[in-house]
Amino acid sequence: AVGVRLLSAQYGFYINEFDPYFQYMSTEYIVKSFDKNGFAGIFDYFNWIDKMAWYPEGRDVASTSFSGLHYLGAFLYLFSRNILQLNISLYDFLVLLPVVTGGLISLAIYFLGKEIGGEAVGIFAGLLSTLSPPLISRDSFGWWDTEPLAYLFGIVVFILFLKIVEKENVSIKSLVETSVAGILLGLSMTIWGGAMYFVGTLGILVLASLFFVRSYKVFFEHTIVLTIWNLLVSMIFKKPGYMVIVNPANLVIYIGILSCFFLMLKEERKEIKIEDKIYSVLTAVLLGLVLVSFGAIGTLTARYFSVILPFEISQEPLVESVAEHASSTAVEYFTFFSITLFFSGFSIYYILKNIEIKKFSAIIIAITALYFAASFGRLMIYLTFSLSILGGVGILVIIRTLLSQSSRFSLKKKGLENTNTSFKLVFIAFFLIIMVFNCGIWIRYADQPVSLVTGSTAFKVVSNDWIDALSFIRERTPEDSVIISWWDYGYWIRVIGNRTTLVDNATLNSTKIALVGKMFLSNETEAISMIKELAPGKNNIYVVVFTVGQQIQQGVYWIGGGGDESKFPWMARIAGLDEKKYYNESSNQPTEYFWEKTLLGKMLPWFPTQAQYGNQIITVYYYYQKIGETGDPYFELVYKSSFNSYLQ
């Protein structure tokens, strides 16, 4: 797992993607405060208003971030540096930490598989998770972001929960296991908003366990301890804060606890029948719905609401514009989990033949993961450990079936009898062949340059364009400058460029992001007026645009691939403008109005023309700098990145 996740290191030792740069900056703030003021300094973070973000308002980092990630990263680094005497910078430490976390995740999946189906299942589950594309894309080299640590904690919570399901008495060991599970669940909520999945799924597991537990009193006590720790730890930081008590995900756990309480009261008087269990669960669910109807449970943002109702079309353009928020497709499921899906079918049949809670929990987790993954592509990470475990069970079922003396499957032929060794070799060879054919899938996600050296484009080309541009911003622009760009690049400019930005990836103010989009799609006179309103009192104002083109012959280009030339339709939607005015859907090209009448169209250095390509007339582009040259009344071009045959 660690080796696979280190493949990206060959392209440069950088933090990956956009959000991780903000996470690094926030973690660095805590470390620097500690080094300056000792232990008292670690609390400075809670009073930090970052005035270099979201100018002129600034950003209250503690109340708008999952601070648990920043503190865990800082404490792990300080422990490694001060106690273990590890001589490494914070930046390098955080670049490598996700790789270590990725290895631990595969190890945790092994232990979860072992708890559910035994050691063989654990080994196969760990192996399958190691090569899972959704997991690789979220816990690889440089990915210092919310998912890896929260994902690791969530898996460990499930392991510890399954250990206490069948307990018949309360012991110090069981209370410690339950407390650790609650603490880790609470920590995951302070690290990642997606950790609500683990909370909600745990609540469903609590409800399912009520049909299998041996002592409702013991189970009730353990679940209460877990929930109390979960809530206490979740409330340590401003986000999620005290509102976690009324979080809809925790409601599911409350319903499970209430159902268990009803059954515990009945357990003292009579033998519990299946009807009693069903009635208790239904009564608790009804009470939960009453709380929801009276508004006693908190509400969800548009993003989380889209997860709860994955088949509802999002009405928020800003949410839709993010590529990782796109709905998952059937092709993606089969691409990412082809082998695992094949083996999972056998395991589901096997588990349903003889249901017991630990194995049945794998099906429950898989169903909930499948449901939530239907909304956002990034949430397919949830499916990794559940399908890996089901796949491990399926592999084991097939092996045992083939090797069983009473198996209907046989390789016996007339005059020829194969031994069990032959069965083993044939199956292992078959499995390895499938793995080899599947290598191209996972390696495509593991062997990728970090976003900074590709500009997060569609091209797997290493370029210093963004690195050089950010160096110019950092070293050649006045310190009091304000940099205006589309929101995607805000964290890079704020952290690497060390300059003030108007908007960034936090999307805290959708109205302001819409104004920036409108500015880019206005004419120069209107854009200048909007810039003065967006950055009042500032004289040193810079506008950054990023464009991508592919050279098809000397001096002739196709454009599109992840730059602003691809993003302006979303700018129009977010700004509430008529997209058709700027973008021709039939030709899949910008309109003449876009090139001639908008600030962005004039800033992008392209001149469109028609050319013969085979039997078709297509639009191609020549490089042409339209504004910013000497004599321009509005703009001065102060920097452009290197222009080569690969990437601009």
Side-chain angles (χ1 to χ4, degrees):
V2 170
V4 167
R5 283 149 181 79
L6 280 172
L7 284 174
S8 296
Q10 63 185 301
Y11 301 103
F13 206 88
Y14 301 105
I15 288 176
N16 195 12
E17 272 290 339
F18 301 103
D19 289 7
Y21 278 93
F22 167 76
Q23 315 295 9
Y24 159 69
M25 178 188 72
S26 302
T27 305
E28 183 185 45
Y29 186 93
I30 298 171
V31 171
K32 285 184 175 180
S33 297
F34 173 84
D35 290 341
K36 181 180 179 180
N37 301 316
F39 281 105
I42 65 175
F43 299 103
D44 294 344
Y45 173 94
F46 294 104
N47 299 315
W48 177 29
I49 305 296
D50 183 15
K51 288 295 185 179
M52 292 181 67
W54 292 92
Y55 180 84
E57 300 89 3
R59 175 177 182 176
D60 184 345
V61 176
S63 64
T64 59
S65 309
F66 286 102
S67 306
L69 179 72
H70 307 153
Y71 273 92
L72 274 172
F75 289 160
L76 287 171
Y77 173 71
L78 291 171
F79 177 81
S80 300
R81 187 193 68 180
N82 297 355
I83 306 299
L84 302 181
Q85 299 297 306
L86 185 64
N87 185 20
I88 187 173
S89 69
L90 175 66
Y91 184 91
D92 292 349
F93 181 82
L94 296 182
V95 168
L96 292 171
L97 184 57
V99 175
V100 177
T101 306
L104 292 175
I105 287 173
S106 289
L107 192 62
I109 291 173
Y110 155 74
F111 280 110
L112 181 58
K114 182 180 178 182
E115 185 68 31
I116 289 174
E119 190 166 16
V121 171
I123 290 172
F124 282 119
L127 173 63
L128 291 171
S129 70
T130 298
L131 303 179
S132 168
L135 189 54
I136 290 172
S137 64
R138 292 286 164 178
D139 65 0
S140 58
F141 185 81
W143 192 276
W144 174 238
D145 207 357
T146 52
E147 292 98 328
L149 279 173
Y151 196 71
L152 174 63
F153 292 165
I155 295 171
V156 175
V157 167
F158 287 150
I159 295 171
L160 295 174
F161 175 78
L162 291 178
K163 285 182 178 293
I164 65 173
V165 167
E166 297 177 344
K167 297 284 187 183
E168 297 185 24
N169 51 67
V170 178
S171 65
I172 294 178
K173 180 183 177 182
S174 67
L175 288 176
V176 169
E177 290 174 343
T178 306
S179 299
V180 171
I183 291 169
L184 291 179
L185 189 61
L187 281 175
S188 71
M189 287 288 286
T190 69
I191 293 174
W192 183 32
M196 283 197 291
Y197 162 77
F198 294 108
V199 177
T201 302
L202 184 69
I204 295 173
L205 288 177
V206 170
L207 286 168
S209 299
L210 297 177
F211 295 88
F212 300 92
V213 296
R214 298 174 182 175
S215 171
Y216 289 103
K217 182 176 183 298
V218 171
F219 187 67
F220 177 79
E221 292 171 351
H222 282 130
T223 310
I224 284 290
V225 171
L226 189 155
T227 303
I228 290 173
W229 276 113
N230 167 38
L231 295 177
L232 288 176
V233 175
S234 296
M235 291 187 288
I236 291 177
F237 300 106
K238 294 182 180 179
K239 191 174 181 179
Y242 295 109
M243 291 303 294
V244 76
I245 296 175
V246 293
N247 189 291
N250 278 313
L251 173 64
V252 188
I253 295 183
Y254 301 156
I255 290 173
I257 292 175
L258 190 59
S259 302
C260 188
F261 178 73
F262 293 153
L263 291 170
M264 181 180 67
L265 295 179
K266 293 180 180 180
E267 187 179 36
E268 297 176 356
R269 303 192 305 269
K270 64 176 183 177
E271 181 181 350
I272 304 296
K273 298 179 180 180
I274 187 68
E275 293 85 357
D276 298 320
K277 300 176 183 180
I278 294 174
Y279 292 150
S280 296
V281 171
L282 290 177
T283 302
V285 169
L286 182 61
L287 290 173
L289 292 175
V290 170
L291 289 175
V292 172
S293 66
F294 279 99
I297 300 300
T299 57
L300 297 170
T301 63
R303 181 183 303 180
Y304 292 110
F305 190 75
S306 297
V307 175
I308 299 297
L309 297 174
F311 302 108
E312 287 286 330
I313 299 176
S314 174
Q315 300 299 316
E316 179 56 62
L318 190 58
V319 174
E320 290 183 90
S321 68
V322 182
E324 63 187 18
H325 291 169
S327 299
S328 305
T329 64
V331 173
E332 288 178 313
Y333 286 111
F334 284 104
T335 300
F336 295 156
F337 304 110
S338 54
I339 299 175
T340 313
L341 289 172
F342 173 76
F343 292 122
S344 296
F346 290 94
S347 67
I348 293 173
Y349 173 74
Y350 167 76
I351 292 171
L352 293 179
K353 280 177 59 180
N354 185 22
I355 297 178
E356 60 99 4
I357 184 57
K358 288 189 176 181
K359 289 186 175 65
F360 189 60
S361 65
I363 297 180
I364 293 174
I365 295 171
I367 291 173
T368 56
L370 186 65
Y371 178 82
F372 291 117
S375 55
F376 291 166
R378 67 179 293 188
L379 300 184
M380 291 188 80
I381 188 175
Y382 293 145
L383 279 168
T384 295
F385 69 93
S386 56
L387 288 185
S388 295
I389 292 168
L390 287 176
V393 173
I395 292 170
L396 199 60
V397 169
I398 293 173
I399 291 176
R400 288 176 175 170
T401 301
L402 289 173
L403 300 182
S404 173
Q405 296 296 325
S406 60
S407 173
R408 296 180 181 179
F409 298 96
S410 176
L411 293 183
K412 293 181 181 180
K413 296 182 179 179
K414 293 181 179 180
L416 179 64
E417 183 174 324
N418 289 311
T419 63
N420 281 347
T421 302
S422 299
F423 278 103
K424 293 178 183 179
L425 293 175
V426 169
F427 184 81
I428 291 172
F430 171 71
F431 183 72
L432 290 177
I433 289 171
I434 295 178
M435 289 293 292
V436 169
F437 276 108
N438 206 47
C439 278
I441 298 173
W442 66 262
I443 204 168
R444 191 169 69 214
Y445 289 85
D447 187 18
Q448 284 286 340
V450 297
S451 298
L452 187 63
V453 299
T454 67
S456 193
T457 68
F459 299 101
K460 188 180 178 180
V461 177
V462 175
S463 166
N464 287 328
D465 280 5
W466 263 109
I467 297 170
D468 293 342
L470 292 167
S471 295
F472 175 87
I473 291 172
R474 183 176 62 251
E475 298 167 7
R476 302 284 297 278
T477 63
E479 291 186 3
D480 66 343
S481 300
V482 170
I483 312 295
I484 301 176
S485 71
W486 188 230
W487 65 276
D488 291 19
Y489 320 118
Y491 284 150
W492 285 356
I493 294 168
R494 165 65 184 91
V495 180
I496 308 174
N498 195 30
R499 289 296 180 267
T500 301
T501 60
L502 276 181
V503 296
D504 60 35
N505 308 65
T507 63
L508 298 176
N509 187 334
S510 59
T511 301
K512 199 169 189 180
I513 292 175
L515 287 173
V516 172
K518 185 177 181 181
M519 177 209 77
F520 274 122
L521 297 178
S522 300
N523 62 47
E524 292 164 87
T525 305
E526 293 171 342
I528 287 292
S529 176
M530 293 183 68
I531 287 172
K532 291 179 179 179
E533 292 180 9
L534 288 167
K538 286 290 183 177
N539 294 320
N540 298 311
I541 302 174
Y542 296 83
V543 180
V544 176
V545 294
F546 175 55
T547 185
V548 180
Q550 182 180 12
Q551 184 169 261
I552 53 178
Q553 65 184 52
Q554 186 64 37
V556 182
Y557 299 83
W558 281 326
I559 67 169
D564 292 337
E565 81 293 326
S566 301
K567 297 174 181 177
F568 73 88
W570 284 110
M571 296 181 188
R573 293 180 203 174
I574 293 170
L577 303 175
D578 183 6
E579 181 186 347
K580 295 179 181 179
K581 189 175 182 180
Y582 312 95
Y583 179 68
N584 189 327
E585 290 185 356
S586 60
S587 64
N588 198 30
Q589 295 292 329
T591 63
E592 183 178 345
Y593 182 90
F594 171 80
W595 291 118
E596 296 182 359
K597 301 295 184 180
T598 70
L599 175 63
L600 181 60
K602 291 188 175 183
M603 282 189 159
L604 295 179
W606 301 116
F607 179 77
T609 188
Q610 300 296 307
Q612 183 81 26
Y613 188 78
N615 296 324
Q616 294 180 319
I617 300 296
I618 63 170
T619 301
V620 295
Y621 294 84
Y622 294 100
Y623 177 80
Y624 175 61
Q625 187 69 46
K626 295 188 282 292
I627 68 172
E629 302 292 353
T630 303
D632 190 306
Y634 300 106
F635 294 93
E636 176 188 359
L637 179 63
V638 295
Y639 176 85
K640 63 179 178 180
S641 61
S642 60
F643 190 80
N644 53 56
S645 60
Y646 297 107
L647 192 70
Q648 167 68 19

